[in-house]
Amino acid sequence: MSTTQPSSIEENEIILGTGMGPLRFGATMDEVRTLVGEPEEIEESDDDDDFEHQAWNYHEDDYLLSLYFDREDDFRLSCIETDNPNMRLFGENIYGQSVDQIKALMQRHNQPVPEMETMEEGAVRLSYEKSMIDLYFEEGELQFVNFGVFINDDMEVQWPK
């Protein structure tokens, strides 16, 4: 997150429905700013987007961390996207793994069968809807992950405790 802090396993651990490392879904913009500093770039949603949001982008070495804050959630942290090569899920480094390796990892942790989509440019997306995580593969290897706070069947946000 910060170039002055050494990377740690915990810092890059994705916890489904909760966040990544010290970043917790539900954090305010001020809390996030205290944890990771000022973003290098802030993107505002387009007028035609269904959800008004801000994306805070942090460029670190060779990777990008994007943090999303939705207006309808009082601009609290609700989604994280990263291509950090040290990202971990269920204690395992997942960057560069194959679709089959990720499916096996998710299955070992009782995740349902994902939806799989091949995008226009040939990238593959695995989506675990209940777990609110999308994993993106290029040339057969995991490149980046987008994951968010859980939402129940009534479409209510389930902030972590």
Side-chain angles (χ1 to χ4, degrees):
M1 320 277 165
S2 169
T3 53
T4 59
Q5 292 180 334
S7 180
S8 71
I9 290 173
E10 295 79 21
E11 181 179 299
N12 299 306
E13 182 74 25
I14 295 167
I15 303 164
L16 296 176
T18 299
M20 184 172 85
L23 292 168
R24 294 290 184 250
F25 296 130
T28 66
M29 290 177 160
D30 286 339
E31 291 168 335
V32 169
R33 195 176 282 115
T34 298
L35 283 171
V36 293
E38 289 294 330
E40 279 88 63
E41 174 184 34
I42 296 177
E43 294 178 34
E44 301 278 344
S45 56
D46 294 330
D47 290 336
D48 60 344
D49 281 348
D50 291 339
F51 299 104
E52 186 180 338
H53 67 272
Q54 279 190 10
W56 289 12
N57 297 322
Y58 296 85
H59 303 272
E60 298 289 337
D61 300 325
D62 293 332
Y63 70 91
L64 177 67
L65 173 68
S66 296
L67 307 176
Y68 294 86
F69 302 87
D70 291 331
R71 180 177 194 258
E72 76 175 40
D73 295 325
D74 300 320
F75 288 103
R76 293 164 67 189
L77 179 63
S78 61
C79 184
I80 299 172
E81 184 171 287
T82 185
D83 64 355
N84 185 324
N86 297 312
M87 65 181 147
R88 299 173 65 84
L89 181 62
F90 301 119
E92 294 186 29
N93 191 316
I94 59 172
Y95 185 84
Q97 288 196 4
S98 70
V99 170
D100 289 340
Q101 287 173 307
I102 295 297
K103 282 182 173 179
L105 172 66
M106 297 298 275
Q107 187 174 16
R108 285 195 306 274
H109 292 276
N110 302 313
Q111 298 298 311
V113 174
E115 291 181 25
M116 191 163 134
E117 177 184 1
T118 301
M119 319 287 270
E120 283 181 25
E121 64 279 357
V124 171
R125 181 182 73 204
L126 279 186
S127 294
Y128 290 85
E129 189 175 334
K130 285 271 189 210
S131 298
M132 297 299 293
I133 185 169
D134 292 323
L135 303 107
Y136 294 86
F137 301 79
E138 293 175 10
E139 297 179 11
E141 294 183 345
L142 181 65
Q143 297 300 308
F144 70 96
V145 177
N146 181 302
F147 56 101
V149 66
F150 288 162
I151 298 173
N152 69 15
D153 292 337
D154 296 323
M155 301 304 292
E156 297 168 335
V157 173
Q158 303 298 295
W159 297 113
K161 305 225 182 298

